[in-house]
């Protein structure tokens, strides 16, 4: 079979950039990355991928129907992996509208364009947060009813329902994955783990919401990438797969592990007001992915957190650029007039 071309949306973000790197290193596919480079998109996350002859970076929005249609046709895209999203719960509480625009309308735009272009498969990268919150026992499975509690998770659940509808109504070949919390290199330091690493490194207080006993099921980002590839290449059409590492930790346990890795005192922990609607516990039963597709996570939490802390310490320049906002100019520096890379892009900015 000829080499496939995949459109990866949100590829300059945390999981997207790890996925693009994985696809270029571990498979022979060609990748077109479409990313609007919002505050969460950082071109330096893709620094080592930009010169690959199998990779094209395009700055633009998934809400731009013309741009998406153009890219699907111009690059003869075989499949779409949709990771572009507004992804932070706290931001969704402050301003939900952009979450609907990107996560719901953007996904609908992609679905319509994919259908019109006859794209072979559409992978929707979703989240376990669409299931809401668990009590002290049990785990989310594919059939768990959707009960999103935050504007973020409500927008992701809405997108999932559109994906389902395109499969049911139009027979589109879709796969939806719902993963638990990821951690690893290139995560924007507004999320728990990189934020705590950044602040602990600077000796600043670590804001823990509520009593710190909320539980998340942590997965190292590369394991999410292998799961996405398994689901994209071998998942059943129309299926949902929940993804998780079986690694439940309270937020306090996570913060303490970071403090230990950085040799910083627990006195930095500061309990602050709880997040409104804060989901108490997430846990994943990934047996469908395991049994059907043979997927297993490769990195346990101790190794993953050590690797993650090491990455942030070794990439102090990345953190400095993010903290100062300099990363927002990387696109103009690379692709703007007089930029280092004279590269034709597919046009269309947000
Ligand atoms: P992120 O915020 O780090 O990255 C999102 C990327 O999408 C950014 O590069 C941003 O520029 C881009 N983007 C935003 N709006 C866009 C638009 N309109 N058009 C094109 N690009 C746009 O997010 P992440 O943590 O990498 O998450 C990626 C996906 O995985 C999201 O769909 C998220 O819901 C899902 N997910 C994340 C986690 C997690 O723990 N981070 C867990 C499960 C699922
Ligand atoms: P986060 O990384 O925002 O992911 P999500 O809300 O999608 O699970 O938060 C992970 C957990 O950490 C969540 O229970 C909220 C908590 N948290 C804090 O206690 N303090 C913080 O500063 C942040 C960002 C999160």
């Amino acid at each position: 079979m000829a080499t496939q071309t995949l459109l990866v949306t949100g590829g300059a973000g945390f999981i997207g950039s790890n996925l693009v790197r994985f696809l270029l290193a571990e498979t022979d596919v060609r990748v077109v990355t479409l990313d609007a480079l919002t505050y969460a998109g950082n071109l330096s996350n893709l620094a080592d991928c930009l010169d690959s002859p199998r990779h094209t970076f395009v700055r633009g929005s998934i809400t731009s129907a013309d741009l998406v249609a153009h890219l699907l046709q111009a690059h003869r895209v075989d499949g779409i992996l949709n990771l572009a999203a507004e992804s932070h719960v706290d931001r969704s509480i402050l301003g939900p509208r952009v979450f609907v625009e990107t996560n719901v309308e953007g996904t609908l735009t992609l679905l319509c364009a994919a259908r019109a272009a006859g794209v072979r498969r559409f992978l929707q990268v979703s989240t376990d947060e669409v299931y809401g919150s668990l009590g002290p026992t049990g785990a989310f499975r594919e059939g768990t009813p959707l009960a999103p509690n935050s504007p973020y998770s409500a927008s992701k659940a809405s997108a999932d329902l559109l994906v389902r509808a395109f499969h049911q109504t139009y027979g589109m070949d879709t796969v939806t994955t719902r993963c638990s919390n990821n951690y690893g290199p290139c995560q924007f330091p507004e999320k728990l783990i990189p934020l705590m690493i950044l602040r602990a490194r600077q000796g600043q207080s670590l804001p823990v919401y509520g009593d710190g006993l909320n539980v998340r099921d942590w997965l190292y980002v590369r394991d999410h990438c292998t799961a996405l590839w398994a689901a994209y290449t071998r998942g059943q059409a129309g299926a949902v797969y929940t993804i998780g590492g079986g690694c439940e930790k309270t937020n306090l346990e996570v913060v303490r592990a970071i403090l230990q890795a950085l040799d910083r005192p627990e006195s930095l922990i500061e309990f602050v007001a709880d997040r409104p609607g804060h989901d108490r516990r997430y846990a994943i039963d990934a047996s469908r992915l395991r049994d059907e597709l043979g997927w297993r996570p490769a990195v346990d939490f101790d190794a993953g957190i050590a690797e993650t802390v090491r990455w942030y310490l070794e990439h102090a320049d990345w953190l400095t650029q993010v903290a100062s906002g300099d990363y927002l100019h990387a696109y103009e520096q690379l692709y703007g007039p007089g930029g280092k890379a004279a590269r034709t892009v597919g046009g269309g900015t947000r």
Side-chain angles (χ1 to χ4, degrees):
M1 200 169 81
T3 306
Q4 287 195 64
T5 299
L6 303 182
L7 180 70
V8 177
T9 71
F14 164 47
I15 301 170
S17 59
N18 280 282
L19 179 65
V20 170
R21 185 167 300 104
F22 169 84
L23 291 172
L24 294 176
E26 305 293 336
T27 78
D28 66 351
V29 300
R30 280 188 290 268
V31 177
V32 178
T33 297
L34 173 62
D35 196 297
L37 296 182
T38 66
Y39 81 92
N42 185 340
L43 211 46
S44 67
N45 291 348
L46 289 171
D48 53 338
C49 304
L50 293 175
D51 290 331
S52 166
R54 288 194 287 125
H55 183 221
T56 306
F57 178 82
V58 179
R59 183 183 194 175
S61 175
I62 59 167
T63 59
S64 168
D66 290 347
L67 171 62
V68 173
H70 163 76
L71 291 178
L72 297 184
Q73 203 210 1
H75 293 276
R76 296 172 203 266
V77 168
D78 297 288
I80 297 178
L81 292 83
N82 181 29
L83 289 88
E86 290 293 334
S87 68
H88 190 39
V89 173
D90 290 328
R91 283 181 189 255
S92 80
I93 294 167
L94 293 172
R97 189 164 300 279
V98 69
F99 283 73
V100 173
E101 288 163 5
T102 297
N103 301 357
V104 186
E105 291 176 17
T107 301
L108 178 62
T109 302
L110 287 173
L111 286 164
C112 291
R115 180 168 172 247
V119 165
R120 280 196 251 150
R121 173 156 273 196
F122 188 102
L123 179 80
Q124 173 68 0
V125 178
S126 188
T127 165
D128 63 346
E129 301 191 28
V130 298
Y131 297 122
S133 185
L134 288 166
T137 58
F140 298 134
R141 305 189 57 141
E142 289 75 8
T144 304
L146 302 187
N149 291 320
S150 72
Y152 163 66
S153 53
S155 69
K156 294 295 290 186
S158 306
D160 288 10
L161 293 178
L162 285 169
V163 172
R164 176 190 153 88
F166 269 63
H167 175 71
Q168 297 289 347
T169 305
Y170 305 117
M172 189 186 278
D173 183 331
T174 63
V175 176
T176 299
T177 56
R178 296 184 180 139
C179 189
S180 61
N181 289 61
N182 284 214
Y183 67 103
C186 300
Q187 187 168 29
F188 194 78
E190 62 184 353
K191 307 280 168 59
L192 180 72
I193 289 184
L195 180 72
M196 298 297 158
I197 295 173
L198 176 64
R199 290 182 66 87
R201 185 174 145 263
Q202 294 170 339
Q204 294 170 325
S205 65
L206 308 185
V208 170
Y209 299 161
D211 61 6
L213 299 180
N214 298 65
V215 172
R216 298 292 182 264
D217 184 345
W218 293 95
L219 185 69
Y220 192 65
V221 63
R222 197 168 197 286
D223 284 329
H224 189 186
C225 294
T226 60
L228 293 177
W229 186 236
Y232 178 78
T233 51
R234 292 182 286 115
Q236 286 180 33
V240 172
Y241 295 93
T242 53
I243 306 172
C247 174
E248 289 182 54
K249 302 266 178 217
T250 65
N251 294 337
L252 266 181
E253 285 172 322
V254 171
V255 171
R256 286 191 179 124
I258 292 168
L259 286 171
Q260 207 177 4
L262 288 167
D263 197 20
R264 297 280 168 160
E266 290 201 8
S267 56
L268 288 179
I269 294 174
E270 185 187 359
F271 291 95
V272 299
D274 208 352
R275 171 189 278 171
H278 196 175
D279 288 338
R280 189 63 170 170
R281 176 171 165 263
Y282 302 148
I284 290 285
D285 177 348
S287 48
R288 179 171 189 185
L289 191 63
R290 231 180 18 240
D291 298 347
E292 239 179 73
L293 305 182
W295 174 83
R296 298 267 185 293
V299 181
D300 69 22
F301 187 76
D302 289 347
I305 204 76
E307 182 55 35
T308 303
V309 169
R310 191 164 44 244
W311 188 88
Y312 283 99
L313 291 180
E314 285 171 1
H315 292 77
D317 51 334
W318 185 94
L319 279 175
T320 308
Q321 276 193 349
V322 167
S324 69
D326 278 357
Y327 74 104
L328 294 167
H329 308 300
Y331 182 82
E332 282 71 24
Q333 281 161 8
L334 266 172
Y335 297 113
K340 286 180 256 173
R343 188 182 294 257
T344 308
V345 297
T349 53
R350 208 164 139 85

